[in-house]
């Protein structure tokens, strides 16, 4: 009699032999089931907390059937997909260890389900669960970060900087970096020497006015004055150029990596940008650094630096300052051209994904990348045309055409090499929807610095060398540069510095 009563319980209306909610070997109701025992109460006669004789014992995500008399239940019938034929589309829902009592179930949905409606479908363990469809039916637009007037101002500034034939003079070397350059020509690193050297660049004759659209300054230089009493920002604006400011505070080690770095300076950036805007700055620069080796750059370094650049860009735009985004891949190493192109594409793709996530207005930004070149120690030497093709290809695959201009850094190339490569880039047969110009520091100043040599009497000679390089790069950014003869010793000298830092 007890046996017949037990069979009736197993085959009753609340259970099925192979059912999803219970059965002979079911999980919730069974012969010695996990939740309802032989006597119908919520206890187990012979079952353990982990499952009875016929219950399911699941540990570490595995399901172990206690019943050995009958085969496991068949899987549920396949769901029809819009592509024809059967198929299941599982979707994990976050929870605890799969299979535990508290674990979130796995639900099955078809691609043809109506978004926004609940679905009652079996999971992989045969249970029927009703869960809301979490797929968004409409993406909420972001709260406008900029007014139309702000966008118009930012776009206008960016376009003025990269107007045809114009590029950027990067005179934003930190006190430590300029000390190395002054010492290379025997000049002492004093504030007066630094001021005088920057002044000879900013006061060069009118021939540079069609060549320079913007000048990037260091904080100290921003508040220095020319001999006639005019602040340097005013001197620059009087030459028809816009004033930029370096706002990052240098690179710091990225913990847990093999010498990789991130850039600091976000703390207080909002207030600093507001003050720089009042003091005459129209654009800013922030440099991040990545390295190519057998194990770098890591995903951590790429994503960290991309997000830092995006946050910086957003803060700048909120204060009416055009951000120059500079993810520099150093030329250190022996990697070939193809490797540099691959890494450049991955880095730029991550940067523009981050800029999109942070709602940065691309029309009011500029990009300052490295050219795609082989490592400094690479045995193979590539022509300007090969460098140009690799560079433009990488940019076409990653940089949206909404960006007004791309201002290349020189990256340790000699003055002449930087001009020739820029010229080849602007002659590349591929379509180029952005202005491709220069943002050079050493590649505009190396010959001028040597000619000056720390002596005020050499100011005119130094300015002449600077004008020469500015004119050459103005032509190169239009694809019109033709060397007029062998370059001088200073112009042909490599400017590579291992692990270069500003």
């Amino acid at each position: 009699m007890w046996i017949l009563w037990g069979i009736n319980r197993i085959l009753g209306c609340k259970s099925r032999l192979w059912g999803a909610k219970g059965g002979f070997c079911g999980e919730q109701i069974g012969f010695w089931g996990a939740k309802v025992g032989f006597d119908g109460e919520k206890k187990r006669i012979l079952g353990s907390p982990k499952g009875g004789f016929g219950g399911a014992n699941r540990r570490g995500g595995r399901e172990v059937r206690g019943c050995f008399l009958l085969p496991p239940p068949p899987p549920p019938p396949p769901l029809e997909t819009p592509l024809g034929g059967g198929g299941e589309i599982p979707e994990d829902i976050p929870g605890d260890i799969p299979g535990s009592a508290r674990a979130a179930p796995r639900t099955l949905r078809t691609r043809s389900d109506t978004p926004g409606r609940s679905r009652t479908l079996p999971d992989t363990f045969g249970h029927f669960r009703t869960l809301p469809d979490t797929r968004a039916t409409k993406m909420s637009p972001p709260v406008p970060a900029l007014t139309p007037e702000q966008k118009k101002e930012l776009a206008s500034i960016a376009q003025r900087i990269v107007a045809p034939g114009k590029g950027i003079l990067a005179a934003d070397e930190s006190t430590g970096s300029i000390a190395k350059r002054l010492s290379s020509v025997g000049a002492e690193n004093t504030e007066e020497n630094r001021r005088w050297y920057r002044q000879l660049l900013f006061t060069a004759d009118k021939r540079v006015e069609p060549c320079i659209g913007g000048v990037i300054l260091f904080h100290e230089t921003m508040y220095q004055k020319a001999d006639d009493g005019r602040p340097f920002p005013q001197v620059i604006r009087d030459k028809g150029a816009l004033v930029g400011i370096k706002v990052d505070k240098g690179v710091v080690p990225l913990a847990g990596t093999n010498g990789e770095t991130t850039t600091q300076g976000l703390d207080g950036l909002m207030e600093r940008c507001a003050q720089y805007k009042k003091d005459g700055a129209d654009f800013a620069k922030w440099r991040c650094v990545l390295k190519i080796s057998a194990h770098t750059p890591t995903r951590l370094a790429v994503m960290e630096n991309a997000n830092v650049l995006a946050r910086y860009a957003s803060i700048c735009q909120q204060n009416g300052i055009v951000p120059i985004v500079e993810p520099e891949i150093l030329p250190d190493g022996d990697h070939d051209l193809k490797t540099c192109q691959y890494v450049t594409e991955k880095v730029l793709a991550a940067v523009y994904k981050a800029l999109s996530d942070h709602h940065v207005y691309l029309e009011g930004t500029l990009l300052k990348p490295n050219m795609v070149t082989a490592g400094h120690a690479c045995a193979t030497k590539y022509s300007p045309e090969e460098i140009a093709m690799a560079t433009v290809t990488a940019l076409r695959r990653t940089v949206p055409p909404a960006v007004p201009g791309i201002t290349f850094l020189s990256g340790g190339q000699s003055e002449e090499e930087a001009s020739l490569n820029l010229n080849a880039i602007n002659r590349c047969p591929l379509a180029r929807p952005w202005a491709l110009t220069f943002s050079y520091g050493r590649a505009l100043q190396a010959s001028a610095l040597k000619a000056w040599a720390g002596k005020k009497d050499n100011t005119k000679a130094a300015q002449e060398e600077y004008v020469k390089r500015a004119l050459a790069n103005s032509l190169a950014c239009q694809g019109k540069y033709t060397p007029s003869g062998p370059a001088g010793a200073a112009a042909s000298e490599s400017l590579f510095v291992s692990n270069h830092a500003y």
Side-chain angles (χ1 to χ4, degrees):
M1 177 178 179
W2 281 99
I3 295 174
L4 294 175
W5 181 85
I7 294 173
N8 182 62
R9 288 286 294 169
I10 296 170
L11 301 177
C13 62
K14 289 191 177 182
S15 62
R16 296 186 293 274
L17 186 59
W18 306 116
K21 290 244 179 172
F24 197 87
C25 295
E27 292 182 47
Q28 299 213 5
I29 301 177
F31 196 82
W32 306 111
K35 287 198 174 180
V36 180
F38 190 84
D39 59 358
E41 298 179 3
K42 290 190 176 181
K43 63 181 181 178
R44 303 175 182 83
I45 296 178
L46 299 179
S48 66
K50 295 291 184 179
F53 179 77
N57 185 6
R58 293 173 281 128
R59 297 184 181 181
R62 295 184 304 162
E63 184 175 346
V64 182
R65 295 281 177 176
C67 178
F68 54 84
L69 298 177
L70 295 172
L79 302 173
E80 185 176 354
T81 67
L83 300 178
E88 298 178 355
I89 307 173
E91 179 178 320
D92 288 325
I93 300 176
D96 296 323
I97 299 174
S100 67
R102 294 173 54 233
R106 301 179 72 203
T107 184
L108 300 176
R109 290 202 295 264
T110 66
R111 297 187 190 275
S112 59
D113 293 343
T114 302
R117 295 186 179 180
S118 299
R119 294 286 291 165
T120 303
L121 292 171
D123 64 13
T124 53
F125 301 114
H127 301 161
F128 280 84
R129 309 262 184 182
T130 301
L131 295 172
D133 193 338
T134 58
R135 292 177 294 178
T137 57
K138 183 177 180 181
M139 181 178 292
S140 300
V143 177
L146 302 171
T147 65
E149 293 74 18
Q150 288 175 311
K151 290 182 177 180
K152 183 177 180 181
E153 180 190 14
L154 292 169
S156 175
I157 292 170
Q159 290 165 5
R160 284 180 59 190
I161 294 171
V162 296
K166 290 190 175 184
I168 297 173
L169 166 64
D172 59 329
E173 301 90 349
S174 66
T175 304
S177 295
I178 196 67
K180 298 174 184 177
R181 301 187 188 178
L182 292 177
S183 64
S184 69
V185 296
E188 187 179 358
N189 183 29
T190 64
E191 182 178 354
E192 175 57 20
N193 276 343
R194 294 193 296 269
R195 187 198 69 83
W196 185 272
Y197 174 63
R198 264 67 181 263
Q199 178 181 249
L200 75 83
L201 297 174
F202 304 156
T203 58
D205 63 50
K206 293 184 178 181
R207 288 177 292 167
V208 300
E209 293 182 12
C211 307
I212 303 298
V215 180
I216 309 174
L217 304 178
F218 185 61
H219 178 83
E220 176 188 71
T221 317
M222 183 80 177
Y223 299 100
Q224 289 177 329
K225 297 180 179 181
D227 289 343
D228 59 8
R230 291 180 299 162
F232 278 159
Q234 183 62 47
V235 174
I236 293 168
R237 284 195 294 270
D238 289 345
K239 291 284 186 181
L242 297 177
V243 178
I245 181 70
K246 171 190 163 103
V247 295
D248 70 76
K249 294 191 174 181
V251 299
V252 292
L254 190 57
T257 64
N258 185 19
E260 294 183 291
T261 61
T262 186
T263 305
Q264 61 185 349
L266 288 177
D267 291 346
L269 181 59
M270 181 72 75
E271 295 74 18
R272 287 188 286 127
C273 282
Q275 187 60 50
Y276 286 138
K277 182 67 174 179
K278 291 179 182 178
D279 295 336
D282 294 304
F283 66 100
K285 192 203 80 168
W286 182 289
R287 176 179 182 253
C288 285
V289 180
L290 296 132
K291 302 176 182 178
I292 297 178
S293 72
H295 305 290
T296 60
T298 60
R299 177 174 173 79
L300 171 64
V302 172
M303 300 309 295
E304 164 64 15
N305 284 287
N307 280 299
V308 166
L309 285 167
R311 186 73 189 110
Y312 138 80
S314 175
I315 293 171
C316 284
Q317 290 191 335
Q318 291 174 59
N319 289 279
I321 291 177
V322 169
I324 294 182
V325 177
E326 182 180 357
E328 179 179 0
I329 299 172
L330 294 176
D332 304 51
D334 60 356
H335 53 272
D336 60 12
L337 192 67
K338 179 182 283 188
T339 301
C340 185
Q341 179 183 335
Y342 174 81
V343 174
T344 299
E345 290 175 6
K346 296 302 179 185
V347 169
L348 292 180
V351 167
Y352 279 98
K353 173 61 167 63
L355 291 173
S356 175
D357 290 344
H358 284 259
H359 313 299
V360 173
Y361 178 57
L362 294 184
E363 288 84 346
T365 66
L366 295 172
L367 175 66
K368 182 175 179 177
N370 53 281
M371 294 180 188
V372 175
T373 60
H376 186 71
C378 180
T380 305
K381 300 303 177 184
Y382 297 91
S383 68
E385 290 71 26
E386 291 174 308
I387 291 171
M389 181 61 70
T391 300
V392 175
T393 299
L395 296 174
R396 281 164 50 87
R397 291 174 177 174
T398 54
V399 182
V403 177
I406 297 172
T407 61
F408 293 102
L409 56 92
S410 56
Q413 302 175 71
S414 70
E415 290 179 330
E416 186 66 14
E417 189 179 12
S419 297
L420 289 172
N421 286 338
L422 179 61
N423 189 66
I425 286 171
N426 280 282
R427 287 183 175 179
C428 181
L430 300 178
R432 305 177 302 279
W434 340 262
L436 298 172
T437 185
F438 59 92
S439 178
Y440 291 166
R442 291 169 289 171
L444 275 173
Q445 302 178 42
S447 294
L449 181 63
K450 285 198 172 186
W452 176 58
K455 299 175 183 178
K456 294 184 178 181
D457 294 340
N458 295 333
T459 297
K460 289 295 183 183
Q463 288 179 329
E464 192 63 31
E465 291 295 331
Y466 166 60
V467 170
K468 186 186 301 182
R469 296 319 313 172
L471 290 170
N473 287 298
S474 176
L475 292 172
C477 70
Q478 302 174 76
K480 300 177 181 178
Y481 176 61
T482 303
S484 58
S492 301
E493 181 180 346
S494 173
L495 303 175
F496 171 75
V497 177
S498 179
N499 202 29
H500 177 62
Y502 285 100

